Amino acid sequence: MDKSIEDIKDEALKAIDAADDRQAVEAVSTRYIGRKGVITQFLRNLSNLPKEDRPGAGKRANQVKELLQKAITDALSAIDARAAGDIEIDVSLPGRSAQRGYLHPVTQVTHQICDIFRRLGFDIAEGPEVETDYYNFQALNFPKDHPARDMQDTFFVSDTVVLRTHTSPLQIRTMEKYKPPLRIIMPGKVFRCDSDLTHTPMFNQVEGLMVDEHISLGDLKGILTVFVHEMFDEQTGLRFRPSFFPFTEPSAEVDILCVICRGEGCRVCSHSGWLEILGSGMVHPALFENVGYEADRYTGFAFGMGVERIAMLKYGIDDIRKFFENDMRFLGQF
Ligand code: PHE
């Protein structure tokens, strides 16, 4: 009698294994553990056994019933899982590639600018965006009543602390830290209280500084000419227009031949044929005094350019605010 319940068990497990859809599994279930199934029948026939064998056989039959119940449940969930898989996997569908991130155009152009100067032997340095009045103005030879200190341009944190209005304070910070000869390029965010088509309260600058014995305006012109030719192209001419900055003497603004009309005159260059791209000049000896360099031994040049402006000229963008709206349709084009 014991052997026969084991036979029933083996037979039922084989049948469950062979059943390959829900209907087949359910049929096996009805057949073996249903109300009128084989196991029920078996339990009913227990009375035919000798009295002392009945409890053991009954217990075993109930164990087998539980075991079959579990095998049936497992088989049904395996079939369901397979069916779900069948619906989702369509091998004829083209693959879905994961979307890759990329650098913001302003970051890309910053890297391009820094790369060009790195190839010319410049090192990269950075510094704080919240700056003291000393580094932002005083050490850069700004007289106390200079209009650039005016509330209209400068975000003041306190009487003596500002959001840096340019990257030029890094000239002082790097000269305090290193002795000449010096060739450094310094990218970073700057802040001015200004907002329109071509100005945002935060924008990016790249500052350049070269100090050694015998550095001349010719070196400045040579380095910037290489830069413009690499950044735009060899046909892009440039001119030095006399200007003024408290921290350079002499000072010059650099214009490039309009990238749109090539000097003919158009809307972008206000019909002048030229576009201003940066401020520059020979480092004022007062700065050397401020950082403890021998002012009669060293000379140097410095320049500072706006990254967004370069990016706008390079890609023909007419509104600087597009860089900061984070519209993926715009940003995705670079
Ligand atoms: N700091 C100046 C500006 O923001 C640019 C500049 C840098 C000019 C270095 C001369 C030398 O306008």
Side-chain angles (χ1 to χ4, degrees):
M1 193 68 196
D2 238 15
K3 186 169 179 292
S4 129
I5 184 70
E6 300 308 324
D7 287 348
I8 293 170
K9 182 194 79 180
D10 292 343
E11 207 184 283
L13 286 177
K14 237 179 257 168
I16 293 167
D17 233 19
D20 53 9
D21 58 27
R22 278 196 86 91
Q23 237 181 331
V25 176
E26 271 153 13
V28 176
S29 171
T30 312
R31 170 133 190 266
Y32 287 91
I33 58 171
R35 240 169 350 107
K36 293 176 187 164
V38 178
I39 304 258
T40 313
Q41 213 63 74
F42 178 87
L43 287 167
R44 239 176 236 154
N45 292 339
L46 278 182
S47 52
N48 298 339
L49 288 178
K51 214 171 171 182
E52 64 276 18
D53 289 344
R54 286 180 205 164
K59 197 172 160 211
R60 180 63 188 147
N62 279 316
Q63 282 173 350
V64 169
K65 191 174 176 181
E66 255 175 60
L67 186 139
L68 293 181
Q69 181 64 65
K70 185 170 181 317
I72 285 162
T73 312
D74 287 352
L76 287 175
S77 25
I79 285 164
D80 287 348
R82 227 181 304 137
D86 284 349
I87 294 163
E88 265 177 31
I89 298 170
D90 176 351
V91 293
S92 69
L93 275 177
R96 272 175 241 159
S97 53
Q99 213 193 336
R100 280 181 63 187
Y102 43 85
L103 296 175
H104 191 281
V106 171
T107 307
Q108 290 184 38
V109 171
T110 304
H111 288 181
Q112 287 170 22
I113 295 168
C114 291
D115 276 349
I116 293 169
F117 286 104
R118 257 208 328 237
R119 290 200 295 274
L120 292 167
F122 285 71
D123 289 323
I124 305 214
E126 287 180 321
E129 290 165 13
V130 180
E131 190 55 281
T132 59
D133 179 275
Y134 176 76
Y135 285 107
N136 199 80
F137 295 124
Q138 208 175 310
L140 287 168
N141 202 32
F142 275 83
K144 272 261 178 283
D145 54 357
H146 195 280
R149 293 182 178 215
D150 202 302
M151 283 298 257
Q152 289 195 346
D153 299 315
T154 308
F155 288 111
F156 283 89
V157 177
S158 73
D159 277 353
T160 52
V161 178
V162 300
L163 299 187
R164 68 179 175 199
T165 58
H166 52 177
T167 42
S168 299
L170 292 170
Q171 290 185 35
I172 303 297
R173 286 183 175 276
T174 50
M175 286 195 286
E176 281 180 347
K177 224 157 130 190
Y178 307 106
K179 294 274 154 254
L182 201 60
R183 260 183 293 187
I184 308 195
I185 197 86
M186 298 155 281
K189 291 185 171 65
V190 301
F191 307 84
R192 287 181 201 176
C193 192
D194 207 349
S195 186
D196 60 33
L197 269 184
T198 51
H199 299 87
T200 45
M202 186 284 293
F203 61 103
N204 291 267
Q205 283 191 338
V206 171
E207 190 88 5
L209 175 68
M210 181 166 181
V211 182
D212 200 351
E213 294 176 13
H214 313 302
I215 299 293
S216 73
L217 201 60
D219 295 306
L220 172 63
K221 205 169 172 186
I223 292 278
L224 289 180
T225 302
V226 171
F227 166 71
V228 167
H229 287 173
E230 294 268 316
M231 194 68 210
F232 296 94
D233 59 41
E234 300 264 337
Q235 275 68 56
T236 307
L238 59 167
R239 70 175 184 186
F240 284 64
R241 188 164 34 78
S243 183
F244 174 81
F245 301 101
F247 39 95
T248 46
E249 182 59 37
S251 304
E253 277 173 311
V254 172
D255 299 336
I256 59 170
L257 208 58
C258 179
V259 289
I260 307 295
C261 67
R262 295 285 176 183
E264 294 285 304
C266 68
R267 214 171 53 90
V268 174
C269 59
S270 314
H271 304 283
S272 71
W274 296 92
L275 298 162
E276 183 200 320
I277 62 158
L278 58 84
S280 68
M282 301 307 291
V283 179
H284 196 293
L287 273 65
F288 291 148
E289 305 272 1
N290 289 338
V291 299
Y293 280 9
E294 295 163 66
D296 51 2
R297 179 169 169 203
Y298 295 111
T299 51
F301 64 74
F303 57 85
M305 65 184 93
V307 179
E308 286 82 357
R309 178 153 180 86
I310 304 269
M312 287 168 79
L313 297 178
K314 193 167 162 104
Y315 297 116
I317 297 156
D318 57 6
D319 185 348
I320 192 175
R321 292 170 296 198
K322 288 207 169 86
F323 289 123
F324 303 107
E325 284 166 355
N326 289 334
D327 183 336
M328 294 303 284
R329 290 170 302 180
F330 172 75
L331 296 178
Q333 294 176 50
F334 299 93

